[in-house]
């Protein structure tokens, strides 16, 4: 089953930052596809939101309070 999971990301990411974030997030088991748009990372697949947040944070894009 494919679910969509969303987590917050900084809203002003440049293309280079989106590529860096995408590389980290695509390594998370279960990710089928992902999209970054206006402060939201949307991932399709059987994915744990905490694992996505951890990947986002490792990429250097932590969001306070998320």
């Amino acid at each position: 089953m494919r679910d969509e999971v969303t987590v917050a990301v900084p809203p002003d990411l440049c293309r280079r930052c989106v590529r860096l974030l995408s590389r980290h997030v695509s390594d998370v088991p279960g990710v089928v596809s992902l999209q970054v748009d206006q402060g939201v990372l949307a991932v399709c697949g059987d994915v744990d939101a905490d694992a996505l947040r951890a990947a986002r944070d490792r990429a250097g894009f932590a969001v306070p309070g998320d």
Side-chain angles (χ1 to χ4, degrees):
M1 171 182 246
R2 290 185 189 176
D3 293 324
E4 183 174 276
V5 179
T6 60
V7 296
V9 295
D12 56 350
L13 295 179
C14 67
R15 287 183 186 198
R16 182 175 158 230
C17 292
V18 170
R19 285 192 303 268
L20 174 63
L21 177 62
S22 297
R23 282 196 304 267
H24 281 268
V25 170
S26 65
D27 287 341
V28 174
V31 172
V32 175
S33 65
L34 64 97
Q35 180 176 354
V36 178
D37 190 29
Q38 298 181 352
V40 176
L41 167 65
V43 176
C44 288
D46 185 16
V47 186
D48 179 59
D50 289 334
L52 292 179
R53 287 186 195 94
R56 175 202 60 198
D57 295 352
R58 279 192 305 277
F61 301 107
V63 175
D66 185 38

